[in-house]
Amino acid sequence: MARRSNVDAPALLLPAPRSLGALVEEHGGTLDPGLEGLLVRGIAPVEAAGPEHLAPVFARRYLTAARSSGALLLVDASLAPNVAPGRRWVHPRAPFALASILETLAPPPPPDERHLAHIEPGAEVDPTASIGPFAVLRAGAVIGPGTRIEPHAVIHGGSRIGARVLVGASAVVGRPGFGWAEAPSGGVVRVPQLGGVIIEDDVELGPLCTVDAGTLGPTRIGRGAKLDAHVHVGHNAQIGAGSLIAAQSGFAGSSRLGPGALVGGQVGVADHVTVGAGARLAAKAGVIGDVPEGATFGGYPAVDKARWLRAMARALGEGGGRGRKE
Protein backbone atom coordinates (compact mmCIF):
# COMPACT_ATOMS: atom_id res chain seq x y z
CA MET A 1 0.00 0.00 0.00
CA ALA A 2 1.37 3.41 -0.96
CA ARG A 3 2.37 5.67 1.88
CA ARG A 4 0.13 8.70 2.32
CA SER A 5 1.86 12.05 2.24
CA ASN A 6 0.90 15.27 3.98
CA VAL A 7 -0.60 16.42 0.69
CA ASP A 8 -3.38 13.89 1.28
CA ALA A 9 -4.18 15.29 4.73
CA PRO A 10 -7.29 17.48 4.96
CA ALA A 11 -7.18 20.79 6.77
CA LEU A 12 -8.44 21.05 10.33
CA LEU A 13 -11.25 23.59 10.09
CA LEU A 14 -11.75 26.22 12.77
CA PRO A 15 -15.26 26.46 14.27
CA ALA A 16 -15.44 29.94 12.75
CA PRO A 17 -12.94 31.92 10.64
CA ARG A 18 -10.48 34.00 12.67
CA SER A 19 -8.48 36.98 11.49
CA LEU A 20 -4.72 36.72 11.71
CA GLY A 21 -4.72 39.91 13.70
CA ALA A 22 -6.99 38.36 16.33
CA LEU A 23 -4.82 35.26 16.56
CA VAL A 24 -1.69 37.34 17.03
CA GLU A 25 -3.37 39.47 19.67
CA GLU A 26 -4.34 36.30 21.52
CA HIS A 27 -1.16 34.26 21.10
CA GLY A 28 1.62 36.79 20.49
CA GLY A 29 4.23 37.10 17.76
CA THR A 30 4.43 39.54 14.86
CA LEU A 31 2.79 39.74 11.43
CA ASP A 32 4.14 40.94 8.14
CA PRO A 33 2.44 44.27 7.28
CA GLY A 34 -1.05 44.15 5.83
CA LEU A 35 -2.02 40.67 7.06
CA GLU A 36 -4.11 41.67 10.06
CA GLY A 37 -7.47 41.33 8.33
CA LEU A 38 -6.81 38.08 6.47
CA LEU A 39 -9.03 35.23 7.61
CA VAL A 40 -7.84 31.82 8.74
CA ARG A 41 -10.37 29.07 8.10
CA GLY A 42 -8.25 26.04 8.91
CA ILE A 43 -4.84 24.58 9.71
CA ALA A 44 -2.96 22.28 7.34
CA PRO A 45 0.57 20.96 6.61
CA VAL A 46 2.53 23.42 4.54
CA GLU A 47 2.66 21.04 1.57
CA ALA A 48 -1.14 20.91 1.40
CA ALA A 49 -2.25 24.29 2.77
CA GLY A 50 -4.28 26.73 0.72
CA PRO A 51 -4.54 30.54 0.86
CA GLU A 52 -6.93 30.55 3.85
CA HIS A 53 -5.04 27.93 5.82
CA LEU A 54 -2.46 28.47 8.54
CA ALA A 55 0.59 26.27 7.93
CA PRO A 56 3.31 25.65 10.54
CA VAL A 57 6.97 26.02 9.54
CA PHE A 58 9.06 24.80 12.46
CA ALA A 59 11.94 22.91 10.79
CA ARG A 60 14.32 23.50 7.89
CA ARG A 61 12.97 20.55 5.94
CA TYR A 62 9.77 22.54 5.34
CA LEU A 63 11.49 25.65 3.96
CA THR A 64 11.29 24.63 0.29
CA ALA A 65 7.54 24.03 0.56
CA ALA A 66 7.08 27.25 2.52
CA ARG A 67 8.79 29.35 -0.16
CA SER A 68 6.34 28.16 -2.80
CA SER A 69 3.24 28.05 -0.60
CA GLY A 70 0.33 30.46 -0.84
CA ALA A 71 -0.72 29.68 2.73
CA LEU A 72 -0.46 31.89 5.78
CA LEU A 73 2.74 30.71 7.45
CA LEU A 74 3.27 30.35 11.18
CA VAL A 75 7.07 30.55 11.19
CA ASP A 76 9.37 29.88 14.10
CA ALA A 77 11.50 32.97 14.68
CA SER A 78 14.73 31.00 14.19
CA LEU A 79 13.65 30.24 10.58
CA ALA A 80 12.15 33.61 9.71
CA PRO A 81 15.25 34.88 7.83
CA ASN A 82 14.86 31.92 5.45
CA VAL A 83 11.24 32.70 4.50
CA ALA A 84 10.50 35.76 2.38
CA PRO A 85 8.17 38.28 4.03
CA GLY A 86 4.63 38.71 2.83
CA ARG A 87 2.60 35.92 4.44
CA ARG A 88 4.42 35.27 7.71
CA TRP A 89 3.27 35.14 11.30
CA VAL A 90 6.62 35.00 13.10
CA HIS A 91 6.59 33.70 16.66
CA PRO A 92 9.47 33.10 19.10
CA ARG A 93 7.69 29.96 20.33
CA ALA A 94 5.72 28.94 17.27
CA PRO A 95 5.02 25.33 18.39
CA PHE A 96 3.45 26.71 21.55
CA ALA A 97 1.24 29.06 19.55
CA LEU A 98 0.10 26.18 17.34
CA ALA A 99 -0.56 23.97 20.37
CA SER A 100 -2.70 26.72 21.90
CA ILE A 101 -4.82 26.96 18.75
CA LEU A 102 -5.14 23.19 18.36
CA GLU A 103 -6.23 22.92 21.99
CA THR A 104 -9.40 24.78 21.07
CA LEU A 105 -10.13 22.13 18.40
CA ALA A 106 -9.38 19.06 20.54
CA PRO A 107 -12.31 16.89 21.64
CA PRO A 108 -13.22 17.00 25.33
CA PRO A 109 -11.61 14.35 27.56
CA PRO A 110 -13.61 11.17 28.02
CA PRO A 111 -16.07 11.06 30.92
CA ASP A 112 -15.36 9.40 34.21
CA GLU A 113 -16.27 5.73 33.78
CA ARG A 114 -15.12 4.38 37.11
CA HIS A 115 -18.24 2.25 37.28
CA LEU A 116 -16.61 0.14 34.54
CA ALA A 117 -13.26 -0.10 36.38
CA HIS A 118 -12.17 -2.40 39.21
CA ILE A 119 -11.49 -0.23 42.26
CA GLU A 120 -10.64 -2.18 45.39
CA PRO A 121 -11.74 -1.08 48.86
CA GLY A 122 -8.92 0.97 50.33
CA ALA A 123 -8.02 2.73 47.10
CA GLU A 124 -8.43 6.51 47.41
CA VAL A 125 -9.75 8.20 44.27
CA ASP A 126 -10.44 11.93 44.16
CA PRO A 127 -13.99 12.72 43.02
CA THR A 128 -12.66 14.88 40.19
CA ALA A 129 -10.44 12.12 38.77
CA SER A 130 -11.46 10.28 35.60
CA ILE A 131 -11.09 6.50 35.56
CA GLY A 132 -11.36 4.59 32.27
CA PRO A 133 -13.07 1.26 31.64
CA PHE A 134 -11.30 -1.87 32.92
CA ALA A 135 -8.65 0.06 34.82
CA VAL A 136 -7.56 -1.67 38.04
CA LEU A 137 -6.86 0.34 41.20
CA ARG A 138 -5.51 -1.80 44.03
CA ALA A 139 -6.02 -1.15 47.73
CA GLY A 140 -3.59 1.51 48.93
CA ALA A 141 -3.40 3.41 45.65
CA VAL A 142 -4.05 7.16 45.86
CA ILE A 143 -5.32 9.09 42.83
CA GLY A 144 -5.23 12.90 42.97
CA PRO A 145 -7.60 15.59 41.68
CA GLY A 146 -8.07 16.00 37.95
CA THR A 147 -6.02 12.90 37.16
CA ARG A 148 -7.05 10.66 34.28
CA ILE A 149 -6.43 6.92 34.30
CA GLU A 150 -7.00 5.48 30.84
CA PRO A 151 -8.53 2.06 30.09
CA HIS A 152 -6.77 -1.10 31.30
CA ALA A 153 -4.14 0.75 33.35
CA VAL A 154 -3.16 -0.95 36.62
CA ILE A 155 -2.24 1.09 39.72
CA HIS A 156 -0.85 -1.01 42.55
CA GLY A 157 -1.07 -0.25 46.25
CA GLY A 158 1.58 2.09 47.57
CA SER A 159 1.35 4.30 44.46
CA ARG A 160 0.57 7.94 45.11
CA ILE A 161 -0.45 9.83 41.98
CA GLY A 162 -0.72 13.60 42.17
CA ALA A 163 -2.97 16.15 40.50
CA ARG A 164 -3.67 16.44 36.75
CA VAL A 165 -1.65 13.33 35.91
CA LEU A 166 -2.40 11.31 32.78
CA VAL A 167 -1.74 7.57 33.01
CA GLY A 168 -1.97 6.05 29.53
CA ALA A 169 -3.87 2.96 28.51
CA SER A 170 -2.45 -0.33 29.83
CA ALA A 171 0.29 1.40 31.85
CA VAL A 172 1.34 -0.35 35.06
CA VAL A 173 2.38 1.68 38.10
CA GLY A 174 3.75 0.27 41.35
CA ARG A 175 4.27 -3.36 40.46
CA PRO A 176 7.18 -4.90 42.41
CA GLY A 177 10.47 -4.10 40.72
CA PHE A 178 13.02 -6.48 39.22
CA GLY A 179 15.07 -7.26 42.32
CA TRP A 180 16.64 -10.67 43.10
CA ALA A 181 19.12 -12.04 45.64
CA GLU A 182 21.14 -15.25 45.48
CA ALA A 183 19.97 -17.87 47.96
CA PRO A 184 22.51 -19.95 49.98
CA SER A 185 20.96 -23.09 48.57
CA GLY A 186 21.32 -21.85 45.00
CA GLY A 187 18.99 -20.01 42.72
CA VAL A 188 17.53 -16.61 43.51
CA VAL A 189 14.77 -15.20 45.66
CA ARG A 190 12.75 -12.08 44.98
CA VAL A 191 13.61 -9.00 47.04
CA PRO A 192 10.29 -7.49 48.21
CA GLN A 193 9.79 -4.03 46.75
CA LEU A 194 7.85 -2.16 49.44
CA GLY A 195 8.77 1.49 48.77
CA GLY A 196 5.93 2.30 46.39
CA VAL A 197 5.81 5.00 43.72
CA ILE A 198 5.29 8.75 43.84
CA ILE A 199 4.11 10.48 40.68
CA GLU A 200 4.04 14.23 41.13
CA ASP A 201 1.59 16.72 39.63
CA ASP A 202 1.18 17.27 35.88
CA VAL A 203 3.08 14.14 34.83
CA GLU A 204 2.08 12.19 31.71
CA LEU A 205 2.75 8.48 31.32
CA GLY A 206 2.18 7.17 27.80
CA PRO A 207 0.41 3.93 26.92
CA LEU A 208 2.11 0.76 28.19
CA CYS A 209 4.56 2.61 30.44
CA THR A 210 5.74 0.71 33.51
CA VAL A 211 6.94 2.31 36.73
CA ASP A 212 8.21 -0.21 39.29
CA ALA A 213 7.84 0.17 43.03
CA GLY A 214 10.96 1.05 45.00
CA THR A 215 12.60 -1.29 47.48
CA LEU A 216 12.75 0.78 50.68
CA GLY A 217 11.86 4.23 49.36
CA PRO A 218 9.66 5.27 46.44
CA THR A 219 10.43 5.37 42.78
CA ARG A 220 9.66 8.98 41.85
CA ILE A 221 8.51 10.76 38.68
CA GLY A 222 9.05 14.51 39.11
CA ARG A 223 6.52 17.21 38.48
CA GLY A 224 5.67 17.86 34.84
CA ALA A 225 7.76 15.01 33.42
CA LYS A 226 6.41 13.51 30.18
CA LEU A 227 7.04 9.85 29.33
CA ASP A 228 6.17 8.51 25.89
CA ALA A 229 4.75 5.04 25.20
CA HIS A 230 6.60 1.89 26.36
CA VAL A 231 8.97 3.72 28.72
CA HIS A 232 10.17 1.61 31.66
CA VAL A 233 11.29 3.09 34.98
CA GLY A 234 12.95 0.57 37.30
CA HIS A 235 12.75 0.36 41.07
CA ASN A 236 14.23 3.27 43.06
CA ALA A 237 14.80 5.33 39.90
CA GLN A 238 14.26 9.08 40.06
CA ILE A 239 12.99 10.95 37.00
CA GLY A 240 13.54 14.69 37.26
CA ALA A 241 10.90 17.37 36.98
CA GLY A 242 10.13 18.60 33.48
CA SER A 243 12.10 15.87 31.72
CA LEU A 244 10.92 14.60 28.31
CA ILE A 245 11.45 10.92 27.47
CA ALA A 246 10.71 9.43 24.04
CA ALA A 247 9.29 5.98 23.40
CA GLN A 248 10.88 2.67 24.39
CA SER A 249 13.50 4.13 26.69
CA GLY A 250 14.41 2.31 29.89
CA PHE A 251 15.90 3.32 33.23
CA ALA A 252 17.42 0.58 35.36
CA GLY A 253 17.08 0.43 39.12
CA SER A 254 18.38 3.38 41.16
CA SER A 255 19.25 5.45 38.10
CA ARG A 256 18.67 9.21 38.27
CA LEU A 257 17.60 11.56 35.51
CA GLY A 258 18.01 15.24 36.31
CA PRO A 259 15.36 17.94 35.87
CA GLY A 260 14.77 19.16 32.33
CA ALA A 261 16.65 16.32 30.64
CA LEU A 262 15.71 15.30 27.09
CA VAL A 263 15.88 11.60 26.22
CA GLY A 264 15.56 10.22 22.68
CA GLY A 265 13.83 7.00 21.73
CA GLN A 266 15.18 3.59 22.77
CA VAL A 267 17.74 4.98 25.19
CA GLY A 268 18.98 2.67 27.94
CA VAL A 269 20.31 4.01 31.26
CA ALA A 270 22.18 1.55 33.47
CA ASP A 271 21.57 1.06 37.18
CA HIS A 272 22.92 3.66 39.63
CA VAL A 273 23.87 6.03 36.78
CA THR A 274 23.17 9.75 37.21
CA VAL A 275 22.23 11.91 34.23
CA GLY A 276 22.59 15.59 35.08
CA ALA A 277 20.00 18.32 34.82
CA GLY A 278 19.34 19.56 31.29
CA ALA A 279 21.36 16.78 29.68
CA ARG A 280 20.39 15.38 26.27
CA LEU A 281 20.64 11.72 25.32
CA ALA A 282 20.54 10.89 21.63
CA ALA A 283 18.24 8.13 20.40
CA LYS A 284 19.50 4.58 21.10
CA ALA A 285 22.24 5.81 23.44
CA GLY A 286 23.50 3.22 25.89
CA VAL A 287 24.36 5.16 29.05
CA ILE A 288 26.62 3.17 31.40
CA GLY A 289 28.33 6.08 33.17
CA ASP A 290 27.33 9.41 34.65
CA VAL A 291 26.42 12.28 32.31
CA PRO A 292 27.27 15.87 33.37
CA GLU A 293 24.65 18.58 33.60
CA GLY A 294 23.79 20.12 30.24
CA ALA A 295 25.87 17.64 28.24
CA THR A 296 24.77 15.88 25.05
CA PHE A 297 25.71 12.18 24.87
CA GLY A 298 25.13 9.54 22.22
CA GLY A 299 26.27 6.13 21.03
CA TYR A 300 27.17 2.98 22.95
CA PRO A 301 28.77 3.27 25.33
CA ALA A 302 27.38 6.81 25.38
CA VAL A 303 29.99 9.56 25.19
CA ASP A 304 30.00 13.30 24.62
CA LYS A 305 28.39 14.28 21.30
CA ALA A 306 31.56 15.68 19.71
CA ARG A 307 33.54 12.54 20.54
CA TRP A 308 30.70 10.34 19.31
CA LEU A 309 30.45 12.18 15.98
CA ARG A 310 34.22 12.03 15.45
CA ALA A 311 34.17 8.29 16.08
CA MET A 312 31.27 7.81 13.67
CA ALA A 313 32.97 9.87 10.98
CA ARG A 314 36.19 7.88 11.40
CA ALA A 315 34.30 4.56 11.25
CA LEU A 316 32.37 5.62 8.15
CA GLY A 317 35.53 6.90 6.51
CA GLU A 318 37.39 3.66 7.14
CA GLY A 319 34.43 1.66 5.89
CA GLY A 320 34.23 3.79 2.77
CA GLY A 321 37.93 3.29 2.12
CA ARG A 322 37.66 -0.47 2.32
CA GLY A 323 34.66 -0.36 0.03
CA ARG A 324 36.59 1.56 -2.66
CA LYS A 325 39.48 -0.92 -2.55
CA GLU A 326 37.08 -3.73 -3.12
Side-chain angles (χ1 to χ4, degrees), residues 93-134:
R93 298 187 182 275
F96 175 78
L98 178 64
S100 300
I101 298 170
L102 292 177
E103 183 66 27
T104 66
L105 307 179
D112 180 25
E113 297 178 286
R114 67 184 68 191
H115 63 287
L116 299 175
H118 176 74
I119 303 176
E120 294 182 349
E124 299 179 27
V125 184
D126 189 275
T128 63
S130 173
I131 311 300
F134 309 111

Side-chain angles (χ1 to χ4, degrees), residues 250-263:
F251 298 83
S254 301
S255 58
R256 293 178 177 271
L257 183 70
L262 301 179
V263 179

Side-chain angles (χ1 to χ4, degrees), residues 12 90 99 102 131 150 166 173 202 264:
L12 293 172
V90 179
L102 292 177
I131 311 300
E150 291 188 341
L166 174 60
V173 176
D202 302 306

Side-chain angles (χ1 to χ4, degrees), residues 252-281:
S254 301
S255 58
R256 293 178 177 271
L257 183 70
L262 301 179
V263 179
Q266 297 185 333
V267 166
V269 178
D271 58 293
H272 299 277
V273 163
T274 295
V275 177
R280 298 184 175 214
L281 304 179

Side-chain angles (χ1 to χ4, degrees), residues 124-126 129 131 137 141-145 147 149 155 159-162:
E124 299 179 27
V125 184
D126 189 275
I131 311 300
L137 276 57
V142 178
I143 310 299
T147 283
I149 309 295
I155 313 299
S159 301
R160 302 184 63 87
I161 298 180

Side-chain angles (χ1 to χ4, degrees), residues 194-220:
L194 306 178
V197 170
I198 293 176
I199 297 181
E200 298 181 359
D201 298 346
D202 302 306
V203 165
E204 179 167 329
L205 304 181
L208 295 163
C209 277
T210 52
V211 182
D212 287 348
T215 308
L216 302 177
T219 303
R220 184 182 296 268

Side-chain angles (χ1 to χ4, degrees), residues 225-256:
K226 312 298 183 187
L227 282 62
D228 199 358
H230 294 269
V231 171
H232 175 72
V233 180
H235 63 281
N236 306 324
Q238 308 288 306
I239 302 298
S243 53
L244 300 177
I245 303 171
Q248 300 181 354
S249 291
F251 298 83
S254 301
S255 58
R256 293 178 177 271

Side-chain angles (χ1 to χ4, degrees), residues 9-10 125 139-140 143 146 153 168 172 175 177 193-194 212 234 237 248 268 284 289 291 302 312:
V125 184
I143 310 299
V172 179
R175 185 182 182 278
Q193 309 288 314
L194 306 178
D212 287 348
Q248 300 181 354
K284 298 189 177 183
V291 177
M312 290 296 295

